[in-house]
Each structure stands twice: as structure tokens, then as C-alpha cells.
């Protein structure tokens, strides 16, 4: 229960598994707040959502709302030292960020619990009295411009801006929201405007307490949290600004019934069909778009994607509501096309409309809605506890959109079946309302227009409903039909009794074929589990050809399983298969009730693998495009790739793998598959709401399928075939340089990766490195990114490669070359060395205590626990008590930190 404006009780609906307490309060300045208390949390967090976004940018000052978001981080009247807020957060185990969208801006942070009060006070000054100094203004315009430079070669940004460009010029949806140097510096100056004065004006007009929603996630009780919030946030000014959401529609008749051909950066073809619709927000309990996305985006037998895939025309499909506002939205169907799908564009469009027509004829089905509602309810009540920082952002975003009772739920619980509302949205998905965006590199040189902000080449033509109807008449039928009832919906959600409250995994079973580690759930009381099986196959990476064939094998497995496993995924039971340097890994996770059914199906597909020629060529085409598109990766990603290639044993370059792929045929995979599985070892981990007998039985089933029978598929590894992962040992006091030209000549950015190899896995050295990274991370970002403006992407972090610890600086820049950036990093290290020498004992102790808090942070959910223990198993370190041991080592004093590092 909570207190409302008139001191009336306000109910906030929460999950049955949620032990946290909630209270809604409204401060005297009309700031609406949700307090969350969690005595078990190690981190506290807060998120402030302001009801203003780039739709409110003044004309000719595109990106002003986004620029303001950047500026508020710098300094305030109460805390005038630049970036002291970010420094405080980072050096006390936290993180902070913000984002600007169309109608809202969100600021958020988390931090170690014992430092929350001061952090919250620093955070509040964003909204009380920020400074926004002239010097910071100029530098942060450059940061916004650098951010935009990074987006220019992103096809996602380019197509989205094109969709907005082809809408009413008088509607805010049409705007360019990021901003750049031209919109925030050059053009305003040319018109006699002072950007900083416009910024202050925009802040004063829009940042009013009555337009804000705050979520505070605290460790203390509700009463104490309320007192803290009232004392800090009461100072936020309330100028009683009114919130006026955009109500008119962005697409008039001339913006509908259009076919747009556009040229992407990356190789490939895609198709987007979108229709203006009433937002689901208007009917969030009825969930019309959720219902339609469930059916149109379905991947089971008889679905739209199933038919397109069977015809060899598509590799992925998604459907659902996409960007808009409170009073307008779009329903979008996105399809990744194969080369053949591109050639059959008219048939693909026709099949989309045929499936929509099928739904219109069938009408809204109650059993489908009830099934979707039941799945949603189970997922809500048994949701994994998320990180405080992610949770506060989610809830703060909901506060503006929903009544208090549904702040934690949002639109995730459709509960009212209303066929009229569903069919009203469905009936909007017509040829008369459609906007079709057909994107392909094949259109290069055959367009006649240019989108101004990203310079995307395109051409536009009107397309009548009669033309689409003609396509529908000619298109294949494909036996489209509605999905059948979902057999994977869990019905047994009971929690198993665990007699031995073990804290760490135990080796439950070992044979010449496998090793089974087991850890029952003793913390979370969720009806969920994990089963991870690592297939260690010495033949998987013996050559570039074998590496590529292993990847194709993995992708074909997922491709063959898709229709069967899609229902399981919808019902909260997923699987994943991924290739790695020594084989491939199978993971099945989610509700444990029917987990074994899915696992056995996956194993059956592995042991009875057959190469289907048509699917082989589709996957080969997909891989070929992925290799071609490597050159369009951002420069820092390319630099990381070269660093990994140099360090890692048994790594093949993408050039070698691409050349090998070109020459591979079906027979190569047919011959390789039995060789790949001829000798294997299974490293297994079973965790969660699964008892030990079930765990043994599951792995025994896998062993029987692989190793037993008259003609076993696999045999045990020889001792010499059990390989270990290694990287190159860099000599101390030596510098190694690798220079490479960026693969994309049209990308103006360059990048530096400065890697320092430090030591092998050892507790004391590990915590020294962690402490150094904690101390250095924010100053490096502040100096290299904020002060020197070397690049928007700037980060300093620890690395772990095959158990070898290191430190890594990444800077991507459009203004300076890597050699200059390297010189500035060396200068930063010298300055940091002096600061470390001068650090007081008291300050050093604070850093150590902050690191202890970080290291002793408890797992919030089963996935977190599983990821930690599986990393220890898969890497071979098996230090399950690492957290306790490294936490204990943190109590050292007087470490000579800088002496830990060479400059490799």
C-alpha cells in the first residue's frame, strides 16, 4: 500500500515471488515518487524520468534535449567540481547513464548501498541547480557530434531516420533527435543564437518537478527512504508546466501506400512493412498488438515465417508495435531476406497480407488470448529478480504511462479478452495503410533521393492496394494456418526440497565420457533450471575449414529445431547452441517442468543430424554476408578482433575462414559431421530446481545417445586430446604494436586498443588489478573523453583471456589518430601514478572497502549464479569460492598498485 496525493491508500500490484516493499508518495513540489525497499540488496539505485524528449526540440536546434541530457552530468552549484558525480558513482562500485527518447529523458545510477545517500544527493542536483558551464558546453557538443558520427554507418539508425523522414514535416516524429556539431553549434551561431542560453531556456521551460517521476531503490525501510527523498528532492523546482503529448498522426494519405527502396551499408536484404495503429497503451489490458505480434511473429509450423523459411526466402522475422508516442504508433513486420527472397519480393509481401487475411477471417480466438495471458501471468509471478538499476529504469518509464496499480506490470499482463479491440487493430493492417521499406545493396546506383541526416540513398513510389491484391492472387498459398495449442506451458511449478544446502557445485558423476557438476537452487525458490553441456570436440577448430563447418553445423541445428522449440521459448523454456574454440555448447534453461522433453529433442537432432541441401545453401549465404559485413564493424571492434587474433591459440583469421567458406559444399559437411562427433567429451552443469537423480538421468540419456549402441556415434577422448585454452605470453618491458588500416574506407573513425597483459589467475594479484581498474576507470574516461574529447567511445576495463588477466583501454575517435591517442594514454598513466603515490591512507581505505562491497555482492537470480559457476567450470579454474577468497584478500593495506603493470 502507498500514500496518494490525498493520503488515500494506493495499491501497487506485485509478483507473488516479490519480497520487496513499495510506497508511492507525492512531494509538496508535485514530484511523484515510488519508493522500493529491499533489505537483501547490495546495490541501491535511482531513476528520474522527465516528460520531455527530442519531440520538444526547438526548430533549428535539433538534438537540444539530447545535448541537455549530456550536460547535466558535469557539475552543479552544490558539487561544482566537473564530473565529480560520475567519479563518486564509479569509485563506489556503481554505474550511471541516461537516454533521450521522443517524449522522455531518463537518468539513472546504482551504487554500493553504504554510499547511496550521498550519491542520491549528487544525483538530485541535476534537477535542482546544475551549472552547465560555457566550457563544458563546447566540449559536450563535440561529444554529441562524436556519438552521431558513430551512428552514421548504423543501418538501424539510417532506416529509422528514413521512416521518420517520410512522414509529415510538421509532425515532431519527423525530427532528427541525436543532434550534431552543425545543429548545435554552426547553425545556431549563423542565426545569432547562443546554444548555451537556449539550453538554459529549454531546461527552465521543461524540467519542472510536476513533469518528473522518480524511483528510489533503497536498502533501508520505507520510512527512512521517504525521509531521505523528501529532504533531497523537495528542492527540485516546480514551475507547473503542463505535459502535452503529441496527439495528431505523423502519416497523412501521401505517406501511406508507399514502396521505398533504400540502400544499406551492410550486405543483405530486408523488408519492413508498417501500418499506423492505435498504441497498445490505450488498451494495455486487452493487448491487441501483443496478440497480433504473437501470431504474425510466430515461427511454428504453418506460420508466416515457417512458410517463408520453407521457400528459402527468409532467415528471420519479427512483428510487433514499434516507435511512436502516447497517441500514435506503428505495427511493423520485419523480415531478413535471402537472395532468393529478394528476387521474390512481391510474393513475400503477398504472403504477409495472406496471413493477415487469414487472421481477419479467423477473428480473435479466445483460446489463443487465454494461452498468451496464462504464459504472461506465469512469467510475471516467477520473473527473475533483476538488477536494481535495470528495475528502476523500467518502473520509472512505466510511471508516466500507467496508473500506480500497474507500475510494476506495465503492459505485460493482458487480462481482458476483447475481440472487437483486437480486430480493430487487425483491420488497420491493410494494403491501403501500408508503408513498405525494401532495403538492399542491390539498389545501389538506382535511387533518386537522399535522406539528409544520414545520407541514405532511396527512391519512393506509390503502391496501390490493387497491385498488392494482384500479388496475392499470384503468390503461393503455402498452407498457412494458426498455431496449435502450446504443449510446453508449465503446469508443475512446485519447488523441490533440497536436503543439502550446498553453496557450491559438486562433482556428481564422472566417467570417461563426461563430467557432471551439480548445484541445486538454495537461494531463489524458483521453478526453473539450467542444463549446460559443453561438447568438447578436438576436430572442431583444426583448420579454417573445420571452424567454418562447425559453425554451419551449429546454425543448421538451430534452424532444424526452430519450429519445434519456438513454443518452448514462448512458454519460458529456451535453448541455445553456440560454437567455440574447442567444440560447441548446448544450454537449455527456464521452467524445469518440461525441460527434459526439449533437451532430448535437441540431442536427437544432434545424433540424427542430416544435411538438408536447401537449408545448407541458405545458411552458407547467411555466413557469406556476415563475413562480407565484418568490414562494416566499428573500428574499435576491428581492433579488438586483431588483438584477439594475435593473442589466441588456434585462431583463424576471417579472411582464411571466408576463403574456406567459398569452396565448401554439402558433401564437405556430410563428411565432417561424423568426424566432428567421432571423439567428444561432455562437460556438464545442471543447476536450479532439479534434484540430483534427475540431473544424472538427463546426462545419462545424452551419454547413451552418443556413446552406446552397436555403432556408437562418439568415443571417449584420448588423454592427449583434452586441450587447454592458452594465449600468447607477452614479455615484460616490451611494447608490441600492430597497425592495420580500417576495413571501411568511408568510416572517418579510427581506434586504439591498448592491452596490458598482467598475470595468470591468482587471488592477490586479481584484487590488485581490480582495485587499480576501480581507481583508474573514471579518471581515464574523464581525461581522455570529457576533457580531451578524443572520442565518444572511451573505456578502461579488466580482461580475462584463457585465465590470464589484463587491462584494456579502448578509444574510438574521429578527430585524432591512434598514435596520438596512445601518447595521451601514456601521459594519463604518468599522471595517475603520481596521484596513486599521493593518495592518503583514508582515501585508499575507502577504495578498498568499495571493492570489497562489489566483490561480495550476492547473486540476484539463478542466471547470475549459473554464469559465475559455469565460467569457473568451462575455464577449468574450478575456484567456486573465488568471491570469498578474493574478498578476504581485499583487506590488504599499502599495496604498490602501479608496480603491478608492465606496458606490453
Amino acid at each position: 500500500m502507498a500514500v496518494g496525493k490525498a493520503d488515500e491508500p494506493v495499491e501497487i500490484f506485485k509478483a507473488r515471488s516479490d519480497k520487496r516493499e513499495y510506497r508511492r508518495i507525492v512531494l509538496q513540489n508535485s514530484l511523484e515518487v515510488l519508493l522500493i525497499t529491499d533489505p537483501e540488496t547490495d546495490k541501491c539505485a535511482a531513476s528520474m524520468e522527465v516528460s520531455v524528449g527530442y519531440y520538444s526540440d526547438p526548430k533549428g536546434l535539433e538534438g537540444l534535449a539530447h545535448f541537455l541530457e549530456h550536460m547535466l552530468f558535469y557539475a552543479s552549484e552544490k558539487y561544482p567540481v566537473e564530473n565529480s558525480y560520475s567519479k563518486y558513482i564509479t569509485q563506489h562500485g556503481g554505474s550511471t547513464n541516461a537516454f533521450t527518447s521522443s517524449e522522455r529523458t531518463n537518468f539513472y545510477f546504482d551504487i554500493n548501498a553504504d554510499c547511496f545517500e550521498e550519491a542520491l544527493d549528487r544525483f538530485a542536483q541535476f534537477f535542482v541547480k546544475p551549472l552547465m558551464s560555457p566550457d563544458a558546453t563546447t566540449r559536450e557538443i563535440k561529444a554529441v557530434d562524436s556519438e552521431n558520427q558513430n551512428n552514421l554507418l548504423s543501418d538501424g539508425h539510417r532506416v529509422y531516420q528514413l521512416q521518420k523522414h517520410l512522414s509529415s514535416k510538421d509532425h515532431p516524429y519527423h525530427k532528427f533527435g541525436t543532434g550534431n556539431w552543425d545543429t548545435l553549434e554552426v547553425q545556431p551561431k549563423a542565426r545569432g543564437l547562443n546554444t548555451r542560453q537556449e539550453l538554459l531556456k529549454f531546461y527552465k521551460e521543461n524540467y519542472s518537478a510536476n513533469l518528473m517521476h522518480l524511483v528510489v531503490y533503497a536498502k533501508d525501510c520505507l520510512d527512512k527512504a521517504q525521509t531521505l527523498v523528501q529532504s533531497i528532492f523537495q528542492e527540485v523546482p516546480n514551475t507547473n508546466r503542463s505535459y502535452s503529448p503529441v496527439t495528431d498522426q505523423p502519416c497523412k494519405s501521401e505517406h501511406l501506400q508507399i514502396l521505398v527502396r533504400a540502400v544499406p551499408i551492410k550486405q543483405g536484404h530486408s523488408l519492413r512493412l508498417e501500418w499506423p495503429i492505435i498504441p497498445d497503451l490505450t488498451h494495455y489490458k486487452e493487448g491487441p498488438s501483443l496478440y497480433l505480434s504473437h501470431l504474425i511473429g510466430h515461427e511454428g509450423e504453418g506460420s508466416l515465417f515457417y512458410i517463408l523459411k520453407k521457400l528459402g526466402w527468409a532467415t528471420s522475422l519479427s512483428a510487433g508495435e514499434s516507435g511512436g508516442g502516447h497517441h500514435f504508433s506503428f505495427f511493423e513486420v520485419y523480415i531478413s531476406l535471402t537472395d532468393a527472397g529478394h528476387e521474390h519480393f512481391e510474393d513475400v509481401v503477398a504472403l504477409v497480407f495472406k496471413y493477415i487475411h487469414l487472421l481477419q477471417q479467423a477473428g480473435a480466438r479466445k483460446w489463443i488470448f487465454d494461452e498468451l495471458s496464462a504464459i504472461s501471468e506465469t512469467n510475471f509471478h516467477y520473473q527473475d529478480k533483476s538488477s536494481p538499476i535495470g528495475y528502476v529504469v523500467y518502473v520509472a518509464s512505466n510511471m508516466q504511462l500507467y496508473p500506480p496499480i500497474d507500475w510494476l506490470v506495465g503492459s505485460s499482463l493482458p487480462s481482458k479478452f476483447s475481440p472487437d479491440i483486437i480486430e480493430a487493430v487487425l483491420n488497420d493492417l491493410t494494403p491501403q495503410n501500408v508503408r513498405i521499406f525494401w532495403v538492399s545493396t542491390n539498389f545501389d546506383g538506382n535511387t533518386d533521393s537522399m535522406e539528409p541526416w544520414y545520407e541514405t540513398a532511396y527512391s519512393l513510389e506509390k503502391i496501390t492496394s490493387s497491385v498488392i491484391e494482384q500479388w496475392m492472387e499470384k503468390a503461393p498459398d503455402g498452407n498457412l494456418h494458426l498455431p496449435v495449442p502450446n504443449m510446453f506451458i508449465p503446469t508443475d511449478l512446485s519447488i523441490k526440497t533440497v536436503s543439502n544446502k550446498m553453496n557450491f557445485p559438486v562433482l556428481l558423476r564422472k566417467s570417461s565420457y563426461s563430467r557432471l557438476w551439480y548445484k541445486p537452487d538454495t537461494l531463489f525458490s524458483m521453478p526453473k533450471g539450467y542444463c549446460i553441456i559443453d561438447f568438447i570436440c578436438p576436430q572442431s577448430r583444426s583448420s579454417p575449414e573445420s571452424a567454418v563447418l562447425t559453425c554451419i553445423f551449429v546454425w543448421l541445428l538451430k534452424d532444424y529445431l526452430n519450429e519445434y522449440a519456438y513454443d518452448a521459448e514462448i512458454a519460458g523454456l529456451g535453448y541455445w547452441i553456440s560454437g567455440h574454440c574447442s567444440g560447441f555448447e548446448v544450454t537449455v534453461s527456464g521452467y524445469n517442468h518440461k525441460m527434459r522433453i526439449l533437451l532430448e529433442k535437441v540431442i536427437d537432432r544432434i545424433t540424427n543430424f542430416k544435411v538438408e541441401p536447401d537449408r545448407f545453401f541458405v545458411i552458407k549465404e547467411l555466413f557469406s554476408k556476415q563475413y562480407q559485413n565484418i568490414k562494416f564493424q566499428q573500428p574499435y571492434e576491428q581492433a579488438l578482433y586483431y588483438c584477439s587474433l594475435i593473442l589466441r591459440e588456434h585462431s583463424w583469421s576471417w579472411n582464411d575462414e571466408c576463403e574456406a567458406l567459398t569452396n565448401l559444399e554439402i558433401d564437405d559437411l556430410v563428411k565432417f559431421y561424423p568426424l566432428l562427433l567421432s571423439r567428444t567429451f561432455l562437460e556438464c552443469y545442471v543447476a536450479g530446481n532439479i534434484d540430483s537423480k534427475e540431473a544424472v538421468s538427463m546426462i545419462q540419456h545424452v551419454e547413451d545417445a552418443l556413446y552406446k549402441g552397436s555403432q556408437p556415434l562418439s568415443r571417449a577422448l584420448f588423454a592427449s586430446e583434452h586441450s587447454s585454452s592458452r594465449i600468447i605470453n607477452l614479455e615484460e618491458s616490451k611494447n608490441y604494436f600492430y597497425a592495420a588500416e580500417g576495413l571501411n574506407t568511408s568510416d572517418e573513425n579510427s581506434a586504439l586498443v591498448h592491452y596490458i597483459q598482467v598475470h595468470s589467475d591468482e587471488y592477490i594479484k586479481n584484487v590488485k588489478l581490480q582495485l587499480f581498474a576501480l581507481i583508474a576507470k573514471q579518471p581515464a574516461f574523464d581525461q581522455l573523453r570529457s576533457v580531451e574529447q578524443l572520442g565518444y567511445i572511451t573505456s578502461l576495463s579488466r580482461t580475462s583471456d584463457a585465465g590470464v588477466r589484463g587491462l584494456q583501454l579502448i578509444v574510438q575517435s574521429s578527430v585524432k589518430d591512434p598514435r596520438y591517442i596512445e601518447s595521451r594514454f601514456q601521459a594519463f598513466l604518468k599522471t595517475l601514478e603520481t596521484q596513486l603515490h599521493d593518495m592518503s591512507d583514508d582515501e585508499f581505505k575507502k577504495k578498498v572497502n568499495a571493492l570489497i562491497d562489489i566483490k561480495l555482492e550476492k547473486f540476484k537470480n539463478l542466471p547470475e549464479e549459473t554464469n559465475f559457476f559455469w565460467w569457473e567450470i568451462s575455464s577449468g579454474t574450478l575456484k567456486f569460492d573465488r568471491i570469498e577468497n578474493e574478498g578476504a584478500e581485499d583487506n590488504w593495506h599499502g599495496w604498490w598498485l602501479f608496480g603491478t603493470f608492465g606496458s606490453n
Side-chain angles (χ1 to χ4, degrees):
M1 303 297 286
V3 180
K5 290 184 180 179
D7 293 332
E8 295 176 356
V10 175
E11 181 183 3
I12 297 174
F13 184 71
K14 68 176 187 176
R16 288 191 292 268
S17 57
D18 190 351
K19 299 176 183 177
R20 293 166 293 203
E21 293 185 351
Y22 299 85
R23 177 184 294 171
R24 170 186 174 268
I25 61 172
V26 180
L27 305 186
Q28 290 180 0
N29 59 357
S30 296
L31 174 62
E32 194 168 22
V33 184
L34 179 66
L35 305 172
I36 307 173
T37 64
D38 179 3
E40 298 178 351
T41 192
D42 299 298
K43 287 272 177 72
C44 293
S47 173
M48 179 75 90
E49 177 118 331
V50 186
S51 299
V52 61
Y54 69 79
Y55 280 2
S56 300
D57 286 345
K59 190 173 182 180
L61 278 165
E62 290 84 0
L64 190 66
H66 177 216
F67 174 43
L68 174 58
E69 169 225 304
H70 278 238
M71 285 297 298
L72 293 183
F73 279 81
Y74 266 92
S76 63
E77 190 174 285
K78 186 173 182 180
Y79 299 100
V81 178
E82 263 195 18
N83 287 314
S84 61
Y85 161 78
S86 297
K87 181 180 179 181
Y88 185 85
I89 297 292
T90 303
Q91 299 202 341
H92 291 89
S95 59
T96 182
N97 213 329
F99 62 85
T100 303
S101 64
S102 58
E103 295 183 276
R104 57 196 175 96
T105 305
N106 191 294
F107 303 84
Y108 55 94
F109 77 93
D110 69 354
I111 197 165
N112 291 341
D114 59 348
C115 303
F116 184 54
E117 288 191 18
E118 182 174 339
L120 193 65
D121 187 48
R122 290 173 176 271
F123 179 70
Q125 304 313 307
F126 286 22
F127 317 103
V128 177
K129 286 187 179 179
L131 286 182
M132 295 188 275
S133 68
D135 181 51
T137 300
T138 303
R139 280 185 276 125
E140 207 56 31
I141 290 175
K142 292 179 181 178
V144 170
D145 185 68
S146 181
E147 182 178 353
N148 183 62
Q149 287 287 333
N150 290 327
N151 296 338
L152 289 179
L153 298 179
S154 161
D155 283 326
H157 283 87
R158 293 164 69 85
V159 174
Y160 180 50
Q161 190 63 44
L162 180 58
Q163 290 171 297
K164 297 198 295 178
H165 177 66
L166 297 174
S167 66
S168 174
K169 291 178 181 171
D170 299 325
H171 196 282
Y173 178 72
H174 184 82
K175 290 183 177 182
F176 167 58
T178 307
N180 58 29
W181 182 257
D182 190 51
T183 67
L184 294 171
E185 178 70 15
V186 178
Q187 290 185 27
K189 274 189 176 179
R191 300 198 314 274
L193 294 177
N194 181 303
T195 302
R196 180 171 177 269
Q197 292 304 316
E198 295 299 316
L199 185 76
L200 295 172
K201 179 182 175 184
F202 186 86
Y203 178 83
K204 186 176 181 180
E205 289 179 350
N206 293 283
Y207 274 57
S208 175
N210 68 306
L211 295 182
M212 299 180 185
H213 296 88
L214 173 67
V215 180
V216 171
Y217 194 109
K219 192 181 182 75
D220 293 323
C221 69
L222 286 172
D223 289 341
K224 187 172 181 180
Q226 179 170 336
T227 301
L228 174 65
V229 168
Q230 286 173 330
S231 66
I232 293 175
F233 287 91
Q234 190 62 55
E235 298 178 46
V236 178
N238 177 19
T239 55
N240 287 311
R241 298 291 174 176
S242 60
Y243 173 66
S244 302
V246 178
T247 57
D248 55 331
Q249 297 298 312
C251 293
K252 300 178 181 177
S253 58
E254 62 264 32
H255 307 117
L256 303 176
Q257 289 186 286
I258 59 172
L259 170 59
V260 182
R261 293 175 173 85
V263 181
I265 297 296
K266 292 185 176 181
Q267 291 291 318
H269 327 282
S270 65
L271 182 62
R272 283 177 170 85
L273 294 88
E274 68 171 22
W275 300 262
I277 61 166
I278 299 169
D280 247 27
L281 181 62
T282 308
H283 303 290
Y284 69 95
K285 291 293 186 183
E286 293 81 2
S289 291
L290 188 65
Y291 176 92
L292 294 177
S293 66
H294 169 67
L295 294 176
I296 299 174
H298 208 281
E299 298 183 15
E301 189 174 337
S303 67
L304 174 60
F305 179 64
Y306 176 82
I307 301 302
L308 291 173
K309 177 183 158 184
K310 196 173 180 181
L311 292 165
W313 295 348
T315 56
S316 70
L317 183 149
S318 61
E321 191 175 11
S322 65
H326 285 76
H327 296 280
F328 72 91
S329 190
F330 297 92
F331 190 91
E332 182 177 276
V333 176
Y334 172 80
I335 305 170
S336 293
L337 300 173
T338 62
D339 290 344
H342 177 73
E343 295 301 318
H344 286 85
F345 159 78
E346 294 178 3
D347 291 325
V348 174
V349 172
L351 281 167
V352 172
F353 278 102
K354 279 194 167 190
Y355 193 76
I356 290 170
H357 182 63
L358 169 70
L359 297 182
Q360 290 169 339
Q361 286 185 315
R365 298 290 180 91
K366 189 174 188 302
W367 76 264
I368 295 176
F369 182 88
D370 289 345
E371 185 177 272
L372 189 59
S373 179
I375 291 170
S376 299
E377 185 175 5
T378 300
N379 289 341
F380 176 74
H381 286 295
Y382 293 99
Q383 60 185 295
D384 291 321
K385 191 175 183 180
S386 60
S387 65
I389 193 169
Y391 194 55
V392 294
V393 171
Y394 167 75
V395 177
S397 298
N398 283 346
M399 288 175 71
Q400 182 185 330
L401 305 176
Y402 305 98
I405 191 172
D406 290 325
W407 280 349
L408 311 183
V409 175
S411 59
S412 65
L413 275 182
S415 56
K416 295 179 181 178
F417 177 61
S418 176
D420 291 344
I421 291 175
I422 292 172
E423 289 164 14
V425 175
L426 180 57
N427 290 334
D428 282 336
L429 311 186
T430 65
Q432 289 80 12
N433 293 332
V434 75
R435 289 155 49 92
I436 302 174
F437 292 82
W438 185 11
V439 182
S440 172
T441 45
N442 288 9
F443 299 140
D444 193 14
N446 296 300
T447 58
D448 56 17
S449 300
M450 187 83 72
E451 188 279 318
W453 298 110
Y454 291 84
E455 298 185 346
T456 303
Y458 74 94
S459 59
L460 181 150
E461 67 179 85
K462 294 293 283 187
I463 181 168
T464 64
S465 56
S466 60
V467 168
I468 293 176
E469 287 163 4
Q470 289 172 17
W471 294 352
M472 292 172 68
E473 290 174 5
K474 295 185 296 181
D477 181 36
N479 192 28
L480 294 163
H481 61 78
L482 295 175
V484 298
N486 193 332
M487 63 171 281
F488 280 103
I489 296 175
T491 55
D492 181 1
L493 298 169
S494 60
I495 305 300
K496 300 181 186 299
T497 302
V498 179
S499 55
N500 183 6
K501 300 288 185 181
M502 59 183 70
N503 294 321
F504 305 120
V506 296
L507 184 58
L508 192 59
R509 181 177 180 272
K510 184 178 180 181
S511 72
S512 57
Y513 307 119
S514 70
R515 195 162 57 161
L516 169 59
W517 298 91
Y518 172 68
K519 167 70 171 65
D521 177 13
T522 58
L523 297 174
F524 312 110
S525 297
M526 287 287 182
K528 299 179 180 182
Y530 268 84
C531 178
I532 307 175
I533 305 174
D534 191 2
F535 289 73
I536 299 170
C537 311
Q539 294 296 329
S540 66
R541 299 277 167 162
S542 57
S543 67
E545 289 82 3
S546 66
V548 175
L549 286 167
T550 300
C551 289
I552 294 177
F553 165 72
V554 165
W555 274 76
L556 281 173
L557 272 177
K558 293 188 287 187
D559 188 72
Y560 297 159
L561 284 161
N562 193 64
E563 294 84 48
Y564 178 85
Y566 186 74
D567 271 350
E569 184 180 342
I570 291 173
L573 177 58
Y575 82 100
W576 184 248
I577 308 174
S578 58
H580 55 72
C581 60
S582 58
F584 63 97
E585 186 178 294
V586 172
T587 300
V588 180
S589 65
Y591 297 112
N592 60 278
H593 179 206
K594 299 179 180 179
M595 179 180 288
R596 178 158 183 165
I597 299 172
L598 180 58
L599 175 65
E600 290 184 2
K601 185 67 175 183
V602 173
I603 299 303
D604 177 69
R605 272 296 190 177
I606 293 172
T607 55
N608 294 289
F609 181 79
K610 297 288 187 296
V611 183
E612 298 176 12
D614 58 334
R615 299 312 299 165
F616 173 86
F617 289 115
V618 167
I619 299 303
K620 182 179 176 181
E621 177 191 315
L622 187 65
F623 267 76
S624 178
K625 287 187 173 70
Q626 287 182 349
Y627 281 116
Q628 292 175 57
N629 287 329
I630 286 176
K631 68 180 180 181
F632 298 116
Q633 288 181 336
Q634 295 213 47
Y636 83 90
E637 294 174 311
Q638 296 176 34
L640 287 170
Y641 158 75
Y642 289 123
C643 185
S644 177
L645 189 66
I646 291 166
L647 289 173
R648 282 204 166 269
E649 190 180 37
H650 299 310
S651 290
W652 311 109
S653 74
W654 72 270
N655 281 315
D656 292 344
E657 291 185 359
C658 187
E659 184 178 339
L661 175 67
T662 303
N663 300 314
L664 292 177
E665 299 296 338
I666 294 171
D667 286 347
D668 295 305
L669 184 56
V670 170
K671 294 173 184 175
F672 176 74
Y673 158 70
L675 181 64
L676 174 70
L677 292 181
S678 62
R679 292 199 178 274
T680 61
F681 182 80
L682 310 177
E683 189 78 73
C684 311
Y685 180 50
V686 176
N689 194 41
I690 301 170
D691 65 38
S692 58
K693 290 182 180 178
E694 288 179 286
V696 170
S697 177
M698 290 162 72
I699 302 308
Q700 184 63 60
H701 172 82
V702 181
E703 274 197 16
D704 291 345
L706 284 167
Y707 303 101
K708 302 297 168 65
S710 56
Q711 292 184 313
L713 189 63
S714 301
R715 297 189 182 278
L717 295 185
F718 293 121
S720 59
E721 292 179 301
H722 286 271
S723 61
S724 59
S725 181
R726 301 186 296 176
I727 64 168
I728 302 298
N729 181 23
L730 303 181
E731 291 185 44
E732 257 188 72
S733 303
K734 277 195 176 181
N735 294 327
Y736 301 86
F737 294 95
Y738 183 83
E741 186 176 357
L743 300 173
N744 182 6
T745 55
S746 62
D747 192 339
E748 296 181 4
N749 292 290
S750 60
L752 169 74
V753 169
H754 183 110
Y755 169 77
I756 302 173
Q757 193 176 87
V758 184
H759 61 265
S760 296
D761 187 18
E762 185 181 319
Y763 289 142
I764 295 179
K765 289 182 178 179
N766 288 349
V767 292
K768 284 185 179 180
L769 177 59
Q770 291 161 22
L771 186 57
F772 178 84
L774 177 70
I775 293 170
K777 180 179 178 179
Q778 182 56 35
F781 180 87
D782 183 32
Q783 181 63 34
L784 303 178
R785 194 271 205 186
S786 300
V787 177
E788 300 189 33
Q789 290 289 309
L790 297 182
Y792 177 73
I793 295 177
T794 300
S795 70
L796 182 72
S797 59
R798 293 177 292 118
T799 65
S800 179
D801 296 289
V804 177
R805 283 6 184 217
L807 193 76
Q808 182 172 270
L809 172 80
I810 299 170
V811 178
Q812 180 166 297
S813 179
S814 60
V815 293
K816 296 294 183 181
D817 64 83
R819 192 171 293 278
Y820 178 82
I821 297 170
E822 166 68 13
S823 70
R824 298 312 304 150
F825 181 53
Q826 293 292 352
F828 165 75
L829 288 177
K830 289 185 182 300
T831 301
L832 184 64
E833 183 175 14
T834 301
Q835 292 172 351
L836 290 170
H837 278 295
D838 295 341
M839 185 181 292
S840 67
D841 288 344
D842 184 58
E843 183 66 16
F844 178 78
K845 186 176 181 180
K846 287 180 180 178
K847 308 297 186 190
V848 171
N849 289 336
L851 182 59
I852 292 172
D853 288 341
I854 295 170
K855 294 204 63 60
L856 296 181
E857 186 175 342
K858 298 182 288 292
F859 300 123
K860 291 177 287 297
N861 50 52
L862 182 63
E864 277 191 10
E865 182 190 76
T866 299
N867 288 339
F868 176 83
F869 289 134
W870 176 244
W871 188 88
E872 293 289 343
I873 293 166
S874 60
S875 65
T877 51
L878 303 179
K879 293 179 179 178
F880 301 129
D881 57 354
R882 177 183 301 277
I883 293 173
E884 289 77 6
N885 279 298
E886 291 188 354
E889 298 295 350
D890 279 353
N891 291 295
W892 290 74
H893 293 276
W895 281 334
W896 181 243
L897 291 169
F898 202 82
T900 306
F901 302 98
S903 183
N904 294 324

